[in-house]
Amino acid sequence: MYFAALLARTEDGWEASDTELDDVETLSDLADLAREASPDEDTVLVLIEQEDAWFGVVRVDGEEDPRIYVSDAAAAARSSYGEILLTDELLGRDPDDGDDLDALDLDGTEDGESEEDDDDAEDGAGATGSAESVPHGPVGDALILDDLGVSEKELRLMSTDAVTEIAEVLGASETLETVR
């Protein structure tokens, strides 16, 4: 089960809104959705969590590029919402690093290769392509909430109810609960 909310910082404090991510396909779409929540170009946080698996924070400050933190990249990679957050840049990959050739899977054994061989190759340590090296554990900007009162250490220690914990530190827990 997923929960996603927008927290927009205003002069009067934080305003929360429940958000549907069904129409969001890219990080750019998500950033645009966040910007729409704050006409004054204030800070907007997009908080996403998948029950007991992972959480993500996207911070949008005006027209700046979004900043991202994901608690467990490997778990998020198995989620359609997580895949939106796990950009090549966030994972330290070069987007022009030959992904098209990797997708072809030209290992010289195309004819006569069994599905069992494919599974073994994908599970191996030397596997390449889209399944390559998504780390278990956190990725991204762990200082994303530091100026708002959530230190890097605190963020990394959060787990199952991180969205609520973040809202409490920000003083927005009651606001967030209205949309939960």
Side-chain angles (χ1 to χ4, degrees):
M1 178 166 193
Y2 290 96
F3 174 72
L6 294 173
L7 283 178
R9 190 179 202 176
T10 67
E11 290 179 6
D12 301 325
W14 292 95
E15 291 182 9
S17 57
D18 188 13
T19 187
E20 284 294 322
L21 299 179
D22 294 341
D23 296 331
V24 174
E25 295 180 8
T26 66
L27 181 59
S28 180
D29 293 343
L30 189 60
D32 290 344
L33 183 69
R35 287 184 184 102
E36 290 171 11
S38 178
D40 296 330
E41 295 190 8
D42 291 318
T43 297
V44 179
L45 303 176
V46 181
L47 305 173
I48 303 171
E49 69 182 3
Q50 182 182 6
E51 193 173 287
D52 296 332
W54 65 277
F55 71 92
V57 179
V58 177
R59 179 176 177 162
V60 178
D61 293 301
E63 291 300 317
E64 292 181 27
D65 288 341
R67 295 167 55 194
I68 307 164
Y69 176 82
V70 176
S71 66
D72 186 338
R78 294 186 295 269
S79 154
S80 59
Y81 297 135
E83 287 179 343
I84 293 169
L85 305 181
L86 297 175
T87 63
D88 286 333
E89 181 180 338
L90 189 70
L91 295 173
R93 294 182 185 158
D94 182 359
D96 299 321
D97 207 14
D99 287 339
D100 293 336
L101 291 177
D102 289 341
L104 292 175
D105 194 25
L106 299 175
D107 63 358
T109 60
E110 293 79 26
D111 296 333
E113 194 174 43
S114 72
E115 284 184 29
E116 191 171 276
D117 292 340
D118 287 344
D119 292 343
D120 290 344
E122 287 176 13
D123 292 339
T128 59
S130 62
E132 97 181 29
S133 65
V134 174
H136 290 274
V139 295
D141 184 354
L143 296 172
I144 191 169
L145 301 173
D146 195 55
D147 65 323
L148 299 174
V150 181
S151 71
E152 175 181 4
K153 181 179 180 182
E154 290 171 315
L155 189 62
R156 290 185 187 275
L157 291 174
M158 291 180 181
S159 57
T160 58
D161 202 16
V163 168
T164 300
E165 291 178 50
I166 290 168
E168 284 176 12
V169 172
L170 298 176
S173 57
E174 287 181 25
T175 304
L176 183 67
E177 285 306 313
T178 62
V179 297
R180 211 178 249 273

